Amino acid sequence: MNGAPKNTPAHARTQVLRDQRTDIERVQDDLSSLLASAGYDDAARFAIRLAMEEALVNAFRHGNRGEAGREVTLEWRISAELAEFIVQDQGEGFDPGAVPDPTLDENLEIPSGRGIMLMRAYMHEVEYLPPGNRIRLRYMRAGRASA
Amino acid sequence: MASENSRLRITEKDGITRVDFIDRDILDEANIRQIGSELLRLVDSKPALKMLLCFRNVEHLSSAALGTLITLHSSVKKKSGQLRMSDIRPQIFEVFVITKLNKLFTIDETAEHAMTRFSA
């Protein structure tokens, strides 16, 4: 076997999540197994799990406003080099620039607003797509020494 | 002090209330709310509480959990208590560093060390 080109996705899927906790846990467990089998180490899996937790919870909680019956769609593809995720909620979108920097001294004691910064810290690319209810997260395995 | 289905193990020694998290993952919002309520009840239970939060079991936490810790910190401070944290795994500690909460919280390497560091 000559094998597939190096950047061919090993796994790709689109999933619809309806129950916030049950579906997130199921997806996280599935992704963790797939990432491990694709060679992602513990630090990479920790980073991706944390970022995906924030992205999916934000989609349910803020995007869909916690309303029953609303769905979150997750598209992902995982290869040996790249793990890419797109999370879409059924909300109207928002401006991530409106979230104050939680690391400023004056904001340290505000208990909310850290999800986006954690996603940005742990993933290589985080991009909100118009109209703001879709977020794309990328983790590039090559070139990332640690989370 | 803790209810039967508590997600916390609470022990008292030398005037210090030690709280261990039972869960490996502190992610679920309902669990986080429960943990937050239990911790705040503890803070209200005695004046100038000395509380040690031990993270030995914790492998994952979310920004919602960080929010609960910040609320707890403010509550302890308001009541002139002391809050220390210990046994935080390197991966979790990095989350504290990234969010700069390591500047807000008092963190010790081990519970044993933390127990000796409370002011009289």
Side-chain angles (χ1 to χ4, degrees), chain A residues 11 13 15 27-28 30-32 34-35 40 44-45 47-49 51-52 55-56 73-79 82-88 123 125-127 129 134-140:
Chain A
H11 305 278
R13 196 183 297 171
Q15 292 175 274
V27 162
Q28 290 279 34
D30 290 348
L31 290 176
S32 185
L34 279 170
L35 290 163
Y40 288 74
R45 295 201 305 278
I48 292 169
R49 187 179 190 101
M52 291 309 297
L56 292 168
T73 304
L74 168 64
E75 298 170 51
W76 51 261
R77 63 189 179 102
I78 295 170
S79 70
L82 172 73
E84 180 179 72
F85 308 88
I86 297 176
V87 177
Q88 179 168 351
M123 302 297 272
E125 289 179 18
V126 175
E127 185 181 8
L129 306 171
R134 275 162 65 86
I135 182 172
R136 179 167 56 212
L137 306 99
R138 286 186 172 138
Y139 187 99
M140 287 105 165

Side-chain angles (χ1 to χ4, degrees), chain A residues 59-124:
Chain A
F60 274 104
R61 187 178 175 192
H62 299 300
N64 289 351
R65 298 176 187 275
E67 289 177 18
R70 285 192 161 192
E71 298 172 344
V72 170
T73 304
L74 168 64
E75 298 170 51
W76 51 261
R77 63 189 179 102
I78 295 170
S79 70
E81 295 80 23
L82 172 73
E84 180 179 72
F85 308 88
I86 297 176
V87 177
Q88 179 168 351
D89 60 56
Q90 294 183 312
E92 295 175 2
F94 88 116
D95 173 15
V99 179
D101 181 351
T103 63
L104 296 178
D105 283 348
E106 61 266 34
N107 296 334
L108 269 186
E109 295 193 57
I110 299 174
S112 59
R114 286 170 181 79
I116 295 170
M117 78 155 303
L118 285 174
M119 287 188 267
R120 290 195 165 128
Y122 279 93
M123 302 297 272
H124 289 95

Side-chain angles (χ1 to χ4, degrees), chain A residues 21 54 61 105 109 111 147, chain B residues 28-29 63 67 77 94 103:
Chain A
R21 198 66 247 156
E54 299 297 336
R61 187 178 175 192
D105 283 348
E109 295 193 57
Chain B
D28 176 65
E29 289 192 326
S63 63
K77 196 165 74 173
E94 189 180 25
K103 291 186 351 185

Side-chain angles (χ1 to χ4, degrees), chain A residues 122, chain B residues 88-98 102 107:
Chain A
Y122 279 93
Chain B
I88 300 173
R89 290 166 193 246
Q91 283 180 331
I92 300 286
F93 185 72
E94 189 180 25
V95 174
F96 284 73
V97 172
I98 287 167
N102 61 320
I107 297 173

Side-chain angles (χ1 to χ4, degrees), chain B residues 13-119:
Chain B
K13 189 181 175 190
D14 300 332
I16 295 163
T17 303
R18 172 176 166 163
V19 178
D20 284 76
F21 294 99
I22 292 170
D23 297 323
R24 282 189 316 153
D25 297 342
I26 307 179
L27 301 171
D28 176 65
E29 289 192 326
N31 290 349
I32 292 169
R33 276 198 299 276
Q34 183 187 337
I35 287 169
S37 299
E38 284 191 56
L39 290 172
L40 291 177
R41 271 202 303 275
L42 276 174
V43 176
D44 287 338
S45 69
K46 63 169 83 166
L49 181 75
K50 295 177 183 175
M51 178 185 281
L52 168 61
L53 280 187
C54 179
F55 285 76
R56 188 166 292 164
N57 299 327
V58 179
E59 294 179 5
H60 296 98
L61 51 70
S62 64
S63 63
L66 295 178
T68 292
L69 295 176
I70 292 165
T71 302
L72 174 70
H73 174 268
S74 302
S75 181
V76 170
K77 196 165 74 173
K78 257 185 226 157
K79 302 224 167 197
S80 306
Q82 298 174 54
L83 175 65
R84 305 188 80 92
M85 302 180 187
S86 76
D87 297 274
I88 300 173
R89 290 166 193 246
Q91 283 180 331
I92 300 286
F93 185 72
E94 189 180 25
V95 174
F96 284 73
V97 172
I98 287 167
T99 53
K100 297 197 178 167
L101 290 174
N102 61 320
K103 291 186 351 185
L104 184 68
F105 300 147
T106 307
I107 297 173
D108 297 291
E109 201 163 321
T110 66
E112 292 68 29
H113 188 236
M115 294 288 282
T116 67
R117 305 273 293 172
F118 283 93
S119 306

